[in-house]
Amino acid sequence: DLALAKQHYQKAAASWSKKEIKKAGYELKAAANDVELASAWGGHKLETTTAAVIKDARAAAAKLIEETGWTKDEVGKGLDAVGKQIETVGKQI
């Protein structure tokens, strides 16, 4: 799950840089889901920070998929936060 989270995160970042908005949204959502699954698989309860990042990433992803209401800063912060949480969860497991 962690490897999938990394792969989806990389695809989200690449799609975002290419202005493939919907694709970036789907990949960001998948990365958030896989971070959550990796944490659960590792037997760890989601930390408050990780849970908040996942929630925010899913919200940003939904906006991207719907192509409404997102801001460049919001998406950039979401991508960065998911990337950091992938590292954090990786260290925990």
Side-chain angles (χ1 to χ4, degrees):
D1 291 320
L2 190 61
L4 286 172
K6 287 178 185 179
Q7 182 180 25
H8 286 297
Y9 166 75
Q10 291 168 346
K11 287 181 178 183
S15 295
W16 177 246
S17 70
K18 294 177 188 174
K19 296 182 174 46
E20 296 172 341
I21 305 303
K22 274 191 173 188
K23 186 173 180 183
Y26 286 115
E27 294 296 344
L28 180 58
K29 181 179 176 181
N33 291 342
D34 287 334
V35 168
E36 183 175 43
L37 291 171
S39 183
W41 181 86
H44 296 279
K45 182 180 172 187
L46 278 182
E47 292 182 6
T48 304
T49 304
T50 303
V53 166
I54 290 170
K55 180 182 174 188
D56 292 346
R58 285 179 177 149
K63 291 177 183 179
L64 290 171
I65 292 166
E66 295 170 8
E67 295 184 337
T68 59
W70 58 270
T71 65
K72 188 176 179 178
D73 288 341
E74 176 185 28
V75 176
K77 288 178 184 177
L79 283 169
D80 289 342
V82 168
K84 289 177 184 173
Q85 289 308 306
I86 290 171
E87 291 178 25
T88 299
V89 171
K91 290 176 185 175
Q92 290 174 346
I93 57 175

